[in-house]
Structure formats: structure tokens, C-alpha cells
Amino acid sequence: MSSHTASDSRPDMKLFWACFIALVATSFFFGVRANSMGLLQDAFNLSENEKGAINGGGMWPFAISIIFFSLVIDWVGYKTVAIFAIVCHLIALVLTLSADGFKSFYYASILIGLANGTVEAFVNPVVATLFPKDKSKWLNILHAGWPAGLALGALFCAVFPTSSLMFDAVWKFRFALCMLPVLAYALLILPCKFPVNERVAAGVSYREMLKEVGAVGFFIIGFLIYFAIMQLAGKEASLLTSVIAGAAIGAVAGIYTGSLGNWMFLLVLMIIGPLATTELGTDGWMPDLLQLNSPSDSPNFAAWVFVYVSAIMTILRFYAGPIVHRFSPIGLLVLGSGVAIVGLLLLSQSTGWAIVAASTIYAFGKTFLWSTTLGLTAEQFPKGGALTLNGVSAVGVLFLGVLGSPFIGYQMDHDLHHRLQSDHGALLVKVEGQTKDSIFGKAPSLDQAKIKALPVPETKELEAVQADSKRGAFTNIAVLPGFMLVCYLGMFLWFRAKGGYKPVAIGGH
């Protein structure tokens, strides 16, 4: 066999860095697109709904590709999957640069989502297999690539002068730069030989892999995938039909595997949704949440805070090894969720430059949550191979897209309406819009046209109420790491009762 196995004593560091650059490429796309949506909206007259569809197009394709390839990657080969990701990224770039309206960008976003999910599908199990005795450390280092790409993409957009080129050339130049990390990981990946996955090398059967997820795990995955596809296709997606679809998928999986799933893995699946909303969901809302509370002389303050937080995460994940060894993965998750709660509560009370200090604490808290969860999954469920490792990421992204992020918005709408109704009733009468449907029920809204027609004193009054409401959103979000902390403490005590945290070994490792 030409590819080396997990038992090789010296891991292929060229392959590791190829995986790292591939992950940088995925988040570089994300950072550039998130910071260029205003330009795209002006260039192509995009509505807010169309902007949401373009951003949402990266959610469900990511989940579908990561789950699909996790099921077949050991049959079709890791290099085949990596080449598919490269091709999708390149076609998506061509579509983007030649775009002439919403549909072009939407289809490009779907392709980018497919490519990003495919990258995750191969990089996580490859790194876990390369470093069987240090999975948490190296998965943390690998996932330093995510905030690094975010920071580079956002930084590039922040410093690039939008007035120095013709308007269309600005966003095209930004997206053209995404070609660099794609070509870099393509050139690094193509000559590499991929390892045989640890599960396969240990002789663990395909059915045993599926047993780790079991009927309940497949119910959760099926429920979220069905809900996401129906929602983004613009069709009626009720919780009931989604539950029925998930139950059907779970029943088939249960019959085949004879297993409900590994109880601890199912607990991790329950935690990853709130975790994804705490980290990625807050990232998505942070510029909007912070801008009205920013120093008045710093119009790009929120964007620079975003870059700053991403830079902290990158540096800390690179030096995760000693921290993981000091606290153990479960101990680090307990500590991280506790610090994240403090950071979010401080953000809820901060204005002006105090936001920087609160954001620093928040960054320290959330840095290790996602990557260490992947490390814990790789170490505790090695029989699950690529499926358990990537299933965690898929469920996190799906939960964020269909439940987490919409719930943040739903809570913000209600909180703002309550504040206006309680203390600014006359102002509410002038700006109140129609109630809108959401999956969580009716949500109040404000009429943007009425807001624009307000005189200056009332505009400032509304902005002050909005600033207080947006700070309050951080308090609501802090409930999520609170739930995580309770779960992690339970797992910590369980490991302690069993003699301490120990990775599960297969294949002689």
C-alpha cells in the first residue's frame, strides 16, 4: 500500500500544513464575503433577504458534504475528497468573479459551502490519524487555521482602500485574493500520501463506526438536515415534519446498527449546538452588536475588534499543547465555558474602549471550545472514525444555521420592542412595523422607512435604546455556555470517578 498508516512513528508534517492551509482557505472566503456584503449589495441591489440567502447558502451544503464524505471517505479515498474540495473552490471563485447578480452569488455560495464542508471532512480525521497520541493538541493547532483565515480576510478588507479602484474592481479584487490560499493548499495536497484512517487500520468495521452515532445520533443529524434544506429552499419547514424525517432516518440507522448511540457522544452532540452559537453565532452578530456601543471616533471599531479576537484565538490555539496537558481536554472545556460566560456578561455592560477588555476575556474563553471538543471526540470515540469527528461539526453548523442564529435575532427583536414599549411608548408608535413569522412564533419588528424619517433627536433616542438592547443580547447568549458548563462539569466528574481522563485506544496506540 502506497499510503502510510497511523502506526508510522514520524507524522507527515507536510500533510499537516497542507490541511492547515486548506482550513485557512475556508475561513478566508468567509472573512472576505462577510466584509464585502455591503459592496455586493450596492453593486447588485441585493435585498436583506437575498443577502441572508447568500450567507445561508454556506450552511446546509457544508453539513451535507461533511456528513456524506464522512460516510464514504474510507472507500473513495482521502485524496479524491481533497481534489473535489479544490475543484469546488476553483469553480466557486470563477462563478463569483463573473457574477452578474443574486443567482450567481447564491450558487457560488453553495459551492463554497460544499467545498468548505469537504475540507473539514478530510482534514479532521487526517490530523487525528497523524497524531494518535496527541489528538487534542494537534486538532487545536489545526483549527488555529480557522481564526487565522478569518483575521486575514477581515484585515485585508479593512485596510484595502475601497476608493482606490473602480467600484466593481474592489470586491472582485478581494475575492480574487481567495485564489491564493486555494492554490497554496492544492499545491501542497496533490503530492501528499494520505494515511489509512485509524479506525480502518485497527480493523473496526463500518457497522461499529455507525454504532457510535446510533439511532439517536442519526435522528439529530437527520432532523437538522431536513429542517435546513426545507427552510433554505423556501418551503414550509415545521418542527413536526422535521422530527418525523429525523425519526425515520434514526429508525433505519437503529435497525441496521442495533444501537441508540454512545451516550457520551450523544451528549457532545447536544452541547455542540449551543457551543456553535456561542462562538460562531456571536461572531456573526458581533459587528452589529458592538457598533452602536463603539467609540464615536472609530467608525470601523467593531471590525477591528473582530480581527483582534480572531488573532488572539489563532495564537492561543497554536500553543494549545501545554494547556491541554495541564487541564486535560474536559478540564479545558470546563474552564473555557466558565470564562466565556464572564466575557459575555462583561460585554453586556461595556461601551467604548472597555469593549476591548471584555472582548479579550471572551476570546480567551471561547478559543478552545470548538477545537477541544473535536479533540475530545477523536480521543473518546476513535471507533467512530471520520463520522463521529465530522458529525460533531455538522450538527454544530446546522444547529447554528436553523436554530441558534435565528433565535438570537428573535430574542433581540422582542427585547428591543419591550424596552421601547416600557419607556419609549410614543417613539414605538412612530417606528413600529408589522409582526413577522418565525420558527419560534410571532416576532415584532421596526419599520426601516419610518426610522429613516425620524427627526434627529428621536433618531438618537432610538439608537440609545438599540445600544442598550444589543448589549443585553450578550446576557441572553451567556445562557448557552452556562448550559455547556453544567454538561462539562458532569462529564468531568464522571471521568474523575473513573480514575481521570484517558483517551480510548484502538489499534495498539
Side-chain angles (χ1 to χ4, degrees):
M1 182 177 289
S2 61
S3 40
H4 54 275
T5 69
S7 62
D8 285 351
S9 58
R10 300 180 63 183
D12 183 352
M13 293 308 297
K14 288 182 180 179
L15 178 57
F16 171 79
W17 289 114
C19 292
F20 179 88
I21 299 300
L23 199 57
V24 168
T26 66
S27 57
F28 191 90
F29 270 102
F30 189 93
V32 167
R33 186 176 60 198
N35 287 276
S36 300
M37 285 306 296
L39 292 175
L40 298 178
Q41 183 174 33
D42 292 339
F44 296 103
N45 193 29
L46 300 177
S47 68
E48 292 299 318
N49 183 59
E50 287 173 332
K51 284 168 60 180
I54 289 172
N55 285 327
M59 291 291 185
W60 58 268
F62 175 98
I64 288 175
S65 61
I66 196 173
I67 290 294
F68 172 76
F69 282 116
S70 296
L71 289 168
V72 303
I73 197 167
D74 293 314
W75 294 338
V76 302
Y78 283 76
K79 181 170 284 190
T80 302
V81 173
I83 291 171
F84 180 81
I86 294 166
V87 171
C88 285
H89 269 144
L90 292 174
I91 295 174
L93 272 172
V94 172
L95 269 179
T96 300
L97 296 174
S98 60
D100 57 1
F102 163 70
K103 284 190 176 180
S104 306
F105 277 106
Y106 181 67
Y107 292 132
S109 181
I110 288 176
L111 270 178
I112 290 171
L114 283 172
N116 289 354
T118 307
V119 166
E120 285 268 358
F122 77 83
V123 299
N124 289 326
V126 163
V127 171
T129 298
L130 285 175
F131 304 97
K133 297 181 180 180
D134 251 336
K135 295 175 185 176
S136 286
K137 170 186 173 180
W138 285 98
L139 282 167
N140 265 291
I141 295 173
L142 170 70
H143 280 267
W146 176 261
L150 281 181
L152 288 172
L155 181 64
F156 174 70
C157 292
V159 301
F160 188 75
T162 57
S163 59
S164 63
L165 292 173
M166 293 178 61
F167 186 75
D168 280 353
V170 176
W171 67 262
K172 285 187 177 180
F173 185 69
R174 287 180 177 181
F175 279 98
L177 260 290
C178 294
M179 187 73 74
L180 294 179
V182 172
L183 291 177
Y185 91 80
L187 292 173
L188 287 169
I189 284 284
L190 292 176
C192 284
K193 293 180 180 179
F194 283 80
V196 175
N197 183 264
E198 182 183 22
R199 172 190 72 82
V200 178
V204 177
S205 72
Y206 190 78
R207 181 174 290 188
E208 284 183 273
M209 177 184 79
L210 297 181
K211 277 186 176 183
E212 293 287 277
V213 181
V216 178
F218 277 104
F219 161 73
I220 295 171
I221 293 169
F223 159 74
L224 289 171
I225 286 180
Y226 178 86
F227 197 95
I229 292 175
M230 291 297 102
Q231 190 180 70
L232 291 168
K235 297 181 179 180
E236 188 67 28
S238 70
L239 288 173
L240 178 60
T241 56
S242 300
V243 166
I244 292 172
I249 293 171
V252 172
I255 292 169
Y256 179 70
T257 63
S259 167
L260 292 176
N262 184 308
W263 72 267
M264 190 183 296
F265 177 71
L266 298 178
L267 180 58
V268 171
L269 285 188
M270 291 175 60
I271 296 170
I272 195 65
L275 191 160
T277 307
T278 300
E279 180 179 335
L280 301 179
T282 307
D283 283 348
W285 284 100
M286 186 170 277
D288 185 54
L289 293 172
L290 293 183
Q291 195 56 52
L292 285 173
N293 295 288
S294 300
S296 57
D297 58 346
S298 303
N300 292 322
F301 179 80
W304 284 109
V305 169
F306 184 83
V307 172
Y308 170 69
V309 168
S310 298
I312 289 176
M313 293 178 65
T314 302
I315 294 167
L316 287 176
R317 284 181 178 178
F318 261 115
Y319 293 96
I323 302 172
V324 171
H325 286 301
R326 172 67 182 83
F327 294 102
S328 83
I330 189 61
L332 187 54
L333 289 169
V334 170
L335 180 65
S337 54
V339 175
I341 294 169
V342 175
L344 287 167
L345 293 177
L346 287 175
L347 280 169
S348 73
Q349 302 297 318
S350 300
T351 59
W353 291 99
I355 290 172
V356 176
S359 296
T360 302
I361 295 172
Y362 169 64
F364 273 80
K366 75 169 184 170
T367 287
F368 299 112
L369 294 177
W370 187 285
S371 49
T372 304
T373 295
L374 292 180
L376 181 143
T377 301
E379 291 181 351
Q380 295 301 313
F381 320 111
K383 290 183 179 180
L387 181 60
T388 47
L389 190 54
N390 292 329
V392 168
S393 293
V395 168
V397 170
L398 281 168
F399 182 96
L400 170 65
V402 303
L403 295 174
S405 191
F407 186 71
I408 294 175
Y410 175 81
Q411 287 283 89
M412 288 169 62
D413 283 336
H414 274 279
D415 183 79
L416 179 58
H417 186 270
H418 175 73
R419 290 172 188 265
L420 288 170
Q421 192 174 48
S422 298
D423 302 312
H424 306 268
L427 179 59
L428 176 61
V429 170
K430 292 184 178 182
V431 298
E432 190 167 16
Q434 296 181 338
T435 58
K436 297 183 178 180
D437 292 325
S438 81
I439 59 172
F440 303 106
K442 297 284 186 182
S445 73
L446 302 184
D447 190 313
Q448 297 301 312
K450 293 178 181 177
I451 291 174
K452 290 178 182 177
L454 288 174
V456 173
E458 290 183 331
T459 298
K460 290 184 176 180
E461 180 186 357
L462 177 61
E463 287 179 350
V465 179
Q466 288 175 319
D468 289 341
S469 179
K470 289 180 187 298
R471 286 201 307 274
F474 287 114
T475 304
N476 294 330
I477 296 170
V479 172
L480 299 176
F483 166 76
M484 292 155 50
L485 179 59
V486 171
C487 295
Y488 290 143
L489 281 172
M491 293 171 68
F492 179 83
L493 293 173
W494 185 85
F495 279 117
R496 188 173 182 180
K498 301 285 285 185
Y501 180 91
K502 295 182 182 67
V504 175
I506 60 172
H509 297 305

